[in-house]
Amino acid sequence: MKKRNWKSAFTSSLFVLPYLFFFTIFLLIPIIYGIWISMHNWDLLSPEHEFVGLGNYQKIFNPDSYLNGLFFDGLLNTFQFVIYSVPILVVVGLALALLVNSLPDRFKGFFRTTYFLSYSVSVSVVAIIWLWVLDTNSGLINQYLMKLGLQGIPWLTNMPWAWVSLVIATVWWTIGFNMVILINALNDVSEELYEASALDGANRWQRLIHVTLPSIRPVMLFVLITSTIASFNVYGQPYLMTRGGPGDSTKVLLMNIVDEAFEQRQLGTSAAMSLLMALIMIIISVVQFKLTKEKE
Amino acid sequence: MDSKAGKLFRIALASIIALLFLVPLFWMLATSFKNDFEAITSGIQWLPQEFTFENYLYSLADVPVLRWMSNSLFVGITGTLLVVVVDTLAAYGLARLDVPFKKVLISMFIGSLMIPWVITFLPLYMEFNQFGLLDTYAVLILPYTANAFGVFLLYQYFRGFPKSLEEAAHLDGANKWQVFTKVVLPSAKPTIWTLAIFTFMGIYNDFLWPLVTTTSPEMRTITTGIAVMQQGSFVSSPGKLMALTSIATIPAVLLFIIGQRSFIKGVTQTGIK
């Protein structure tokens, strides 16, 4: 068997070749090309691109360069969105899963579908709906506040309300997905563990802490990492709802990268910013993975 | 153990939360049947005082919304078919056949799952720009084929497939291709279906990529087309905007309600355990 049968190896390769072709053209080459672009002074309008080595990266870390502000202000805004949204997406997602699971069987399907429904609409629909609900003058929420004799809230134009609005819209849109994954995980927890803890006289809360949470830890980790990555990549919500405002205070890193590339036409610097952003995302995923694994 | 009051309380709580999810959608529908003046000035009016279809007629006549939806469907379905075929073949080859450099390929593909897409975003744009393929269906479909998620998902499935069945077919004189299509593929259907749903939703809902790679109105997807309208001519016309979003939302929601069972099954199947 050790002797390689060349004919067989050839026919077998045909199975993998189509994917390998796409993988090479649309992933491998772009990665290398991206690194190459990031080492050039690459103005989209100019035919000549001067090689600058790590110059673009140096500029990002040089406090005197405009790129420094562009990158780190954007990164700080992205971080804020991640920190505000991810805990809610994970913890409330779990709470919804527990709630749905605790309902009588004939209600489960209805509520699961209802909480999951908004996941089916696209980001522009989410943004448009919430812009309208949160509208300062004619919005549903402010109308009710004014009815109660309260002042309307400038949801999209003032801090911290702009963040609140973006987080509300995001949670409404995507939390159902986390909930569904967690419901599946909850259903997989073995009945025996619950029975054993019931015999030990554990109450509902103790069961949650000592039985449920440890059993679903791997799924929680998955939800945590995917939510973090999704929040890191946030673009549509601030682009459509606040347009980065008020001022530049909700302008996330990805928006700055897109502006630098397509408004300023500076491909070299924007490619360098993308590579750094990706590097940060990889580091955060690895750290989250390590931190949650270590406890076991 | 479980008191009746507790049960009622949980149902009540669940219902209130359900309202939070449904009210924005209902408000969208309600507004879409109001004229702009009423929408802006009438305050909390759950049902329109003057019921009008004008917004829908206007959206369907003056906005290429049907074209955008066909674009989204076409791009989503073609992309999904491509991904499913290519990924299934590769996964089977890697799981079962004597592909040269198998180990290297497997670790390269799985490793690529770690790479955030933002790395390839700009260089991919430049690549398509150089080939003159911006603002075409190619740019809206091809980039999604590089994702290794499906290869990984199906690779795991094929590894778990009982080898004895394949060997029996081999002994009966079937060649690789016949074994693959007649014996292995039929059993992989649910996993392939899962991959198809995830891929379709990913392509259909993508925003930034189609936004920057298309410029002409007739190449827009529904997601980006609506966004452009929101920022442009419909900006102060809530009735028309809500009619437009309703047109885009209703089919998606209906499809979702029908398909959610397979989707939920799929979530369990992706091996998130």
Side-chain angles (χ1 to χ4, degrees):
Chain A
M1 271 314 267
K2 263 285 155 208
K3 206 184 109 207
R4 182 153 261 154
N5 177 341
W6 288 106
K7 197 180 158 227
S8 167
F10 173 73
T11 50
S12 299
S13 308
L14 292 180
F15 278 75
V16 182
L17 274 180
Y19 177 71
L20 188 61
F21 172 79
F22 288 129
F23 182 84
T24 309
I25 305 238
F26 301 120
L27 193 78
L28 276 190
I29 291 176
I31 291 175
I32 297 161
Y33 191 30
I35 297 171
W36 175 249
I37 293 175
S38 81
M39 294 195 201
H40 288 76
N41 187 356
W42 196 297
D43 189 319
L44 262 182
L45 295 181
S46 126
E48 304 257 330
H49 310 304
E50 175 201 0
F51 184 81
V52 291
L54 295 176
N56 289 330
Y57 296 93
Q58 273 164 357
K59 272 198 226 158
I60 292 173
F61 288 101
N62 175 4
D64 296 330
S65 162
Y66 76 101
L67 276 178
N68 184 269
L70 207 59
F71 185 80
F72 286 99
D73 292 350
L75 186 64
L76 198 67
N77 289 337
T78 300
F79 270 135
Q80 287 195 61
F81 182 75
V82 170
I83 288 166
Y84 303 145
S85 64
V86 172
I88 298 178
L89 288 169
V90 175
V91 175
V92 180
L94 177 65
L96 288 181
L98 289 167
L99 177 66
V100 169
N101 247 22
S102 74
L103 295 172
D105 280 342
R106 63 203 151 101
F107 292 113
K108 276 182 191 165
F110 170 76
F111 285 108
R112 191 188 57 196
T113 307
T114 309
Y115 299 168
F116 195 23
L117 195 61
S118 37
Y119 187 69
S120 67
V121 305
S122 56
V123 65
S124 38
V125 172
V126 173
I128 290 171
I129 291 179
W130 281 98
L131 273 175
W132 183 228
V133 170
L134 297 169
D135 191 87
T136 312
N137 299 314
S138 340
L140 200 53
I141 297 184
N142 276 1
Q143 294 276 353
Y144 271 110
L145 288 177
M146 286 190 263
K147 235 184 181 174
L148 296 170
L150 298 167
Q151 277 236 300
I153 293 172
W155 288 104
L156 297 149
T157 47
N158 267 47
M159 277 303 179
W161 299 111
W163 281 129
V164 174
S165 308
L166 293 177
V167 171
I168 289 177
T170 306
V171 167
W172 181 83
W173 182 30
T174 60
I175 201 165
F177 182 72
N178 287 353
M179 177 202 69
V180 165
I181 292 179
L182 288 164
I183 288 178
N184 277 325
L186 291 175
N187 290 337
D188 282 347
V189 179
S190 98
E191 277 299 317
E192 285 163 32
L193 286 176
Y194 283 123
E195 279 160 21
S197 77
L199 285 179
D200 291 344
N203 63 28
R204 206 180 276 263
W205 183 248
Q206 288 167 325
R207 254 188 303 163
L208 175 68
I209 301 290
H210 297 296
V211 181
T212 312
L213 287 183
S215 310
I216 62 169
R217 176 175 282 155
V219 182
M220 289 289 281
L221 174 64
F222 173 84
V223 170
L224 175 70
I225 291 181
T226 48
S227 300
T228 308
I229 291 174
S231 287
F232 233 94
N233 281 330
V234 69
Y235 183 85
Q237 299 94 307
Y239 173 78
L240 294 164
M241 289 176 68
T242 60
R243 306 200 186 173
D248 280 339
S249 50
T250 57
K251 204 155 181 215
V252 292
L253 181 52
L254 197 48
M255 286 171 88
N256 283 343
I257 291 175
V258 171
D259 278 2
E260 178 73 1
F262 297 105
E263 306 267 319
Q264 309 301 321
R265 299 166 198 278
Q266 296 304 317
L267 252 287
T269 47
S270 51
M273 285 163 72
S274 328
L275 277 161
L276 284 181
M277 174 173 164
L279 197 65
I280 293 168
M281 290 175 71
I282 293 174
I283 292 171
I284 288 176
S285 298
V286 171
V287 168
Q288 283 181 334
F289 190 75
K290 285 259 151 77
L291 278 181
T292 358
K293 277 279 159 182
E294 246 163 42
K295 284 190 194 146
E296 277 174 15
Chain B
M1 250 262 354
D2 201 6
S3 69
K4 193 149 193 179
K7 206 180 267 173
L8 275 178
F9 171 74
R10 287 200 301 276
I11 294 174
L13 181 65
S15 308
I16 294 171
I17 297 172
L19 281 181
L20 296 179
F21 281 95
L22 294 177
V23 161
L25 288 173
F26 181 81
W27 190 238
M28 165 188 82
L29 273 180
T31 308
S32 73
F33 292 110
K34 296 173 184 174
N35 61 49
D36 285 334
F37 178 74
E38 185 188 337
I40 292 170
T41 56
S42 72
I44 307 158
Q45 195 74 48
W46 287 105
L47 293 172
Q49 287 161 318
E50 235 182 284
F51 204 85
T52 171
F53 275 107
E54 220 175 286
N55 299 320
Y56 284 88
L57 295 177
Y58 185 90
S59 290
L60 288 169
D62 282 33
V63 181
V65 58
L66 296 180
R67 166 85 196 214
W68 294 341
M69 288 185 75
S70 344
N71 281 349
S72 281
L73 281 179
F74 175 72
V75 165
I77 291 171
T78 319
T80 303
L81 282 176
L82 209 56
V83 166
V84 163
V85 170
V86 166
D87 286 9
T88 314
L89 284 171
Y92 184 69
L94 293 173
R96 279 295 201 262
L97 306 178
D98 50 342
V99 178
F101 311 112
K102 202 180 339 192
K103 287 223 170 84
V104 183
L105 290 176
I106 293 172
S107 35
M108 192 166 74
F109 294 157
I110 293 181
S112 78
L113 289 171
M114 281 274 294
I115 295 172
W117 66 268
V118 66
I119 279 194
T120 57
F121 168 49
L122 296 172
L124 256 183
Y125 177 89
M126 293 303 289
E127 222 177 277
F128 278 97
N129 185 27
Q130 246 140 40
F131 290 126
L133 287 174
L134 290 179
D135 210 25
T136 64
Y137 285 119
V139 77
L140 292 174
I141 294 170
L142 291 175
Y144 302 103
T145 55
N147 193 338
F149 167 74
V151 177
F152 177 65
L153 183 72
L154 286 153
Y155 173 74
Q156 282 193 317
Y157 174 80
F158 291 139
R159 290 281 300 234
F161 188 79
K163 232 179 185 160
S164 51
L165 288 176
E166 287 163 75
E167 276 158 9
H170 267 303
L171 288 179
D172 285 344
N175 65 27
K176 274 176 211 164
W177 182 251
Q178 288 163 333
V179 172
F180 174 63
T181 51
K182 300 260 161 63
V183 183
V184 182
L185 261 193
S187 77
K189 242 187 216 157
T191 314
I192 292 175
W193 198 225
T194 301
L195 172 62
I197 293 172
F198 271 92
T199 308
F200 182 83
M201 287 195 68
I203 300 176
Y204 190 88
N205 280 331
D206 202 2
F207 180 66
L208 182 51
W209 181 253
L211 184 72
V212 298
T213 54
T214 58
T215 41
S216 55
E218 68 273 11
M219 282 311 294
R220 293 279 182 204
T221 59
I222 185 73
T223 309
T224 51
I226 291 182
V228 170
M229 293 309 289
Q230 185 253 337
Q231 307 218 309
S233 53
F234 276 18
V235 72
S236 56
S237 179
K240 295 194 183 82
L241 202 51
M242 292 300 142
L244 199 59
T245 47
S246 300
I247 295 172
T249 303
I250 292 163
V253 166
L254 289 180
L255 261 182
F256 187 77
I257 292 175
I258 299 165
Q260 65 146 342
R261 239 161 237 291
S262 356
F263 185 79
I264 288 169
K265 235 194 248 157
V267 173
T268 334
Q269 266 209 344
T270 48
I272 313 160
K273 282 183 183 173

